[in-house]
Amino acid sequence: MDVQTIPELLRHARETHRKPNAFLVRRAGVWVPVSIETYAAQAASAGAWLRAQGVRPGDRVAILSESRYEWVVADMAIVSMGAVSVPFYPTLPAGQIAPLVADSGIVGAFVSSNEQEEKLKLVQSERAGSSEALRFVWNFDASGLPEAPAGAGDVPLPRPDDLATIIYTSGTTGTPKGVMLTHSNIVSEVVISLTTWKLNQDDVYLSFLPLSHVLERASGFFTMLYAGVTIAYAESFDKLPRDLREVRPTVLIAVPRLYEKVIARAVETAAGAGQFTRSIFQNAYRVAVEVGRLKNEGKAVPPWTILERAIGFALVYGKIARGLGGRTRLRVSGGAPLNRDVALFYRGAGLAVHEGYGLTETSSAISVNTSERQRVGTVGPLFPGIEVRTAEDGELLVRGPVVMKGYWQKPEDTREALEGGWLHTGDIGALDADGFLRITDRKKDLLVTSVGKKVAPQPIEAALKASPRITEALVLGDGQKFVAALIVPAAGATREAIAEDVDRVNGTLAQFERIKRFELIPDDMTVEKGLMTPSLKLKRKAVVEHHREAVEKLFRGA
């Protein structure tokens, strides 16, 4: 590699791309370009300011902010001087931030707003008398970006094996653990991913996922920066449809829910436009899924289906494309499983969504489908330099330069996770005969019924959530005679309609996997209530406990 540390990624971008519009930032209703030189100067200035605050190599500095341009300036400033960047999700309440502050031992923090600053003040007030009081809290909204004091010297450069960041995992099953990633881990991720993702200086990327998550930070920021892609920062998730129309990105990295919502929005529009329009959409959807299936199986598409697809392009698929901005050429999905029918639809509609797989512990993705090698139902071929094997119990093991250094201050957890020199992912998966990686479930989420049948809940949950009438679903049945589900209905959905959706999904399942009973629960799945992780994954145990009465009703008399 010609680069080995994160500052060298920036140096490469400055020397190779010299873009006047390396970033796009929406200010007062206008997208303002920021050059790579301006970005580099602001990051260097903020780094010198950090040194003036007494921050030294190895010190931990937090970022508690929504994703925005200032976030990536602060991040680069921290890691470029050899300090360790510790991102916290801005959706976390003070009570959940407190243990992370204590565990990481941060010396200071960058925050986005007064609201975020108040959280840290509350945390600090509860630690009164602690010798680990924060040296500084810098507020972007109140003060912009920090500037170097007069006479500030050069910032010492980090080494490849130095710790760059501690990223706290979402913690679906317990207390979050701090994943330690080195400069070499992240740079390896950037370099090997670009052997698969063909990005160039003409590309525009719209960033809207949280930078606190490794997918957005490593793949959506560092990789785009190194490749010379223009990065536009969405104003907010609520304004995403507008920002997609205005920025018209060529590259998207998103979670499955975005791609599902674009289709759901089209379904709602068609449903409200009368029977004729609704039937046109339904037929176009059916045709796209069928074409996607045939392509996925390497079969020829019949002439009459080609004609139907052409009609679909003219009447439906173009609108779906415009919902994604109108000119995306690379669409990537990660963070959670992509529903099979949704993936087949996009492929058949000529808007293939490339599903990938990775973990915080692997510095982001280790595999992804591509235009040349794509198979719906898998997470694609491995990136170069990545090795995988399957343990006796089906757990996927990973080895390669992107694998973490370990868990912060948790030597026992580190030894367990990296036993034998392989990362134990906690996922059930394997490579197929053609080199495509399949992930079937989380090892700890597998249900074993009272008759010994093993059921993977996630594919069933994904199939249920493919319906626009179902917002969330949780499949249960461990130790029970049958499988059941807790379902959060979408607004206006009736029990009868959801029963039809359950029957539809059951028709695709083995007898022992089918949902025998379901209960509707309110839409109260929030981070604040402790029912979801900051990356919006359900905390299974917490949801079951919170809705204990509904769960007992499901299995009463079983």
Side-chain angles (χ1 to χ4, degrees):
M1 294 186 296
D2 64 333
V3 294
Q4 293 183 302
T5 65
I6 292 171
E8 290 175 357
L9 292 176
L10 176 56
R11 173 185 56 75
H12 172 90
R14 291 178 67 187
E15 294 174 353
T16 308
H17 308 303
R18 299 189 177 279
K19 293 187 74 167
N21 61 339
F23 299 90
L24 294 175
V25 183
R26 203 172 195 276
R27 294 174 178 151
V30 178
W31 291 94
V32 179
V34 179
S35 72
I36 191 67
E37 292 299 333
T38 297
Y39 171 73
Q42 289 177 328
S45 183
W49 179 86
L50 284 169
R51 289 187 69 202
Q53 309 312 304
V55 178
R56 296 292 177 259
D59 284 347
R60 279 79 60 203
V61 178
I63 305 177
L64 178 58
S65 167
E66 297 77 19
S67 297
R68 54 196 282 177
Y69 172 72
E70 291 84 356
W71 202 110
V72 295
V73 173
D75 191 34
M76 186 63 73
I78 295 166
V79 300
S80 292
M81 62 164 293
V84 181
S85 177
V86 187
F88 296 152
Y89 281 93
T91 51
L92 290 177
Q96 292 184 36
I97 292 173
L100 307 184
V101 169
D103 185 65
S104 60
I106 59 171
V107 300
F110 290 98
V111 300
S112 59
S113 61
N114 292 337
E115 177 189 356
Q116 303 297 350
E117 186 172 357
E118 286 301 317
K119 292 179 187 177
L120 281 184
K121 285 181 178 177
L122 182 58
V123 171
Q124 286 294 97
S125 68
E126 293 174 353
R127 302 172 75 212
S130 168
S131 61
E132 300 173 359
L134 300 185
R135 297 174 198 168
F136 69 90
V137 175
W138 184 274
N139 186 323
F140 295 143
D141 279 354
S143 306
L145 285 166
E147 297 181 359
D154 292 334
V155 175
L157 294 175
R159 296 164 299 187
D161 290 336
D162 285 347
L163 188 57
T165 187
I166 298 171
I167 304 177
Y168 283 90
T169 56
S170 300
T172 56
T173 57
T175 304
K177 292 179 285 196
V179 175
M180 297 189 290
L181 299 179
T182 66
H183 283 259
S184 180
N185 286 150
I186 291 172
V187 170
S188 296
E189 169 66 26
V190 169
V191 173
I192 66 176
S193 67
L194 285 173
T195 62
T196 298
W197 293 347
K198 309 302 181 185
L199 303 173
N200 60 64
Q201 294 186 71
D202 296 327
D203 280 318
V204 178
Y205 174 69
L206 181 62
S207 175
F208 59 88
L209 296 178
L211 280 159
S212 313
H213 194 286
V214 73
L215 174 63
E216 186 60 31
R217 184 142 161 250
S219 301
F221 170 47
F222 290 126
T223 301
M224 301 298 165
L225 179 74
Y226 183 70
V229 176
T230 296
I231 304 172
Y233 284 101
E235 192 170 32
S236 69
F237 194 79
D238 292 341
K239 301 290 178 60
L240 186 57
R242 180 204 66 191
D243 292 348
L244 282 165
R245 289 193 304 270
E246 293 180 354
V247 173
R248 301 185 69 239
T250 61
V251 180
L252 272 182
I253 298 177
V255 291
R257 202 65 184 145
L258 172 76
Y259 299 110
E260 292 163 1
K261 280 189 173 181
V262 170
I263 295 176
R265 213 161 29 236
V267 170
E268 291 171 10
T269 302
Q275 179 59 39
F276 179 69
T277 301
R278 185 163 60 250
S279 62
I280 288 175
F281 178 87
Q282 289 171 340
N283 190 62
Y285 185 88
R286 176 192 60 78
V287 169
V289 171
E290 176 62 10
V291 171
R293 183 187 66 79
L294 291 170
K295 286 179 172 289
N296 203 51
E297 295 172 0
K299 297 177 180 177
V301 180
W304 59 88
T305 307
I306 292 175
L307 177 60
E308 287 183 303
R309 185 174 182 242
I311 297 171
F313 271 119
L315 300 178
V316 175
Y317 309 151
K319 294 177 182 178
I320 298 289
R322 286 192 291 277
L324 295 171
R327 61 170 185 165
T328 53
R329 67 171 189 83
L330 176 60
R331 294 160 293 274
V332 178
S333 177
L338 180 65
N339 176 265
R340 181 178 177 83
D341 272 5
V342 169
L344 290 174
F345 168 81
Y346 276 106
R347 186 172 187 184
L351 301 165
V353 174
H354 304 300
E355 189 171 9
Y357 168 79
L359 304 164
T360 306
E361 290 87 343
T362 61
S363 311
S364 192
I366 63 164
S367 70
V368 72
N369 281 284
T370 67
S371 299
E372 296 78 21
R373 295 196 68 200
Q374 183 179 11
R375 182 167 295 170
V376 171
T378 77
V379 289
L382 297 175
F383 285 156
I386 302 297
E387 300 174 74
V388 302
R389 66 183 179 87
T390 303
E392 288 184 7
D393 62 358
E395 183 177 12
L396 184 72
L397 311 182
V398 178
R399 186 164 66 182
V402 299
V403 171
M404 67 171 182
K405 187 174 185 177
Y407 293 115
W408 175 253
Q409 295 188 0
K410 287 184 169 55
E412 286 300 321
D413 287 337
T414 297
R415 276 192 289 272
E416 183 179 342
L418 299 177
E419 183 184 357
W422 293 81
L423 173 68
H424 292 59
T425 65
D427 288 319
I428 304 297
L431 286 175
D432 67 16
D434 297 319
F436 288 89
L437 182 61
R438 291 182 184 273
I439 304 295
T440 54
D441 210 71
R442 287 290 297 169
K443 180 180 175 181
K444 293 180 180 178
D445 288 345
L446 277 177
L447 310 177
V448 182
T449 65
S450 60
V451 293
K453 294 289 188 180
K454 292 182 179 178
V455 177
Q458 289 187 343
I460 303 173
E461 291 163 355
L464 289 168
K465 289 189 291 183
S467 166
R469 294 184 286 254
I470 296 176
T471 302
E472 284 292 349
L474 191 70
V475 172
L476 307 169
D478 197 45
Q480 303 289 344
K481 289 183 179 179
F482 56 82
V483 174
L486 295 177
I487 292 176
V488 177
T494 65
R495 185 174 184 90
E496 290 74 18
I498 288 176
E500 292 177 6
D501 289 327
V502 171
D503 287 342
R504 171 183 54 79
V505 171
N506 277 342
T508 68
L509 302 175
Q511 183 66 37
F512 67 88
E513 295 176 310
R514 291 175 185 168
I515 298 165
K516 301 295 191 297
R517 297 178 186 173
F518 70 88
E519 284 294 323
L520 302 184
I521 57 175
D523 190 3
D524 59 357
M525 307 295 179
T526 64
V527 175
E528 291 73 20
K529 284 191 174 183
L531 302 182
M532 296 192 94
T533 70
S535 55
L536 303 182
K537 297 183 179 113
L538 287 182
K539 290 186 174 181
R540 305 182 75 87
K541 291 181 181 178
V543 173
V544 168
E545 188 58 38
H546 185 70
H547 291 287
R548 173 61 56 189
E549 188 175 329
V551 173
E552 290 175 352
K553 187 176 179 182
L554 281 173
F555 297 107
R556 192 171 294 149

